[in-house]
Amino acid sequence: MSELSIISGKSSEKLSKELSKKIKGNFVKSEIRIFPDGESKITLIGKISGKKSIVVQSIYPPVDTNLVQALSLITKAKENSSEVIAVIPYMGYARQDREFLPGEIVTMKVLGKLFKGAGASKIIVVDIHSLIGFKHFSIKTKNVTAIPDLVKYFKKLSLKNPLVISPDQGGKERAKEFAKEFNSNYIALDKKRDKKTGKIKITTKNTDEVENRDLILVDDMISTGGSIIKATQFLKKQKCKKIYVACTHALLMNDAEKKIKKAGVTSIISTNTIPGKTSKVDISKIIAKAIM
Ligand code: R5P
């Protein structure tokens, strides 16, 4: 029996299998039954073996359900092994890392307590929205980046004089990193989001840098698609050529994908932190590296 068990959460089953092959762990599958009231009933298929367990469960929608399943799997793993690492490829709640408006609860603080309480001694995530979220964790934390793998994908496309764009100043460093790997330049737009309504506005004035060039909009995540749509509408007016989107986590809520395409985006490329139509880039290798 392997000294290492990979406990696969339902939200990351395929990814867990890939990971298990790479690190040669004992693969333990979980089966889920959702009761009519929304509760999750989890059954493990297989036995946890070895001293170390890795629980893999992304926290995408339904966020609270997937979170409770992750915590339950960690609790069970801790009963059967001395060390538990939580691999949370997409860290839901990461945007709630500080009190933006008075009275707001910093949910990342709550999550820090929950993961520790369940028995995880370390958490590994991919391209977390901001490292500020981890300030609320007292267990070991590791953020790995999917940017080099996303760049590899884009290197295979024949883009015309490409330019990397961040839809906001907050994503500037990400765009810079992408552009460095991709060997191109980058710019960051100015975006304003109303903290109460969530309404987005691009406040950058005209820019002639994008004219006649293919663009890659780089972001950590797409939720409603609002940020990408507003950026695309602005860039199209500046007479760019094709617009591609590279993001780590494609939540694509409601019909975000359709709306993004309608705004003029040629293609969205994301990773399998959230499995779906756009998740063309596999992150199992970078997670395996972070575990070993
Ligand atoms: C914002 O700071 C993030 O990096 C993303 O740009 C944002 O959360 C995406 O959300 P939406 O798709 O709803 O605009």
Side-chain angles (χ1 to χ4, degrees), residues 95 129 167-168 174 191 193 200 219-228:
R95 288 181 293 180
H129 176 66
D168 51 42
R174 196 175 297 119
K191 176 183 97 177
R193 188 193 285 268
I200 295 160
D219 213 342
D220 58 332
M221 60 188 285
I222 304 174
S223 178
T224 63
S227 306
I228 293 297

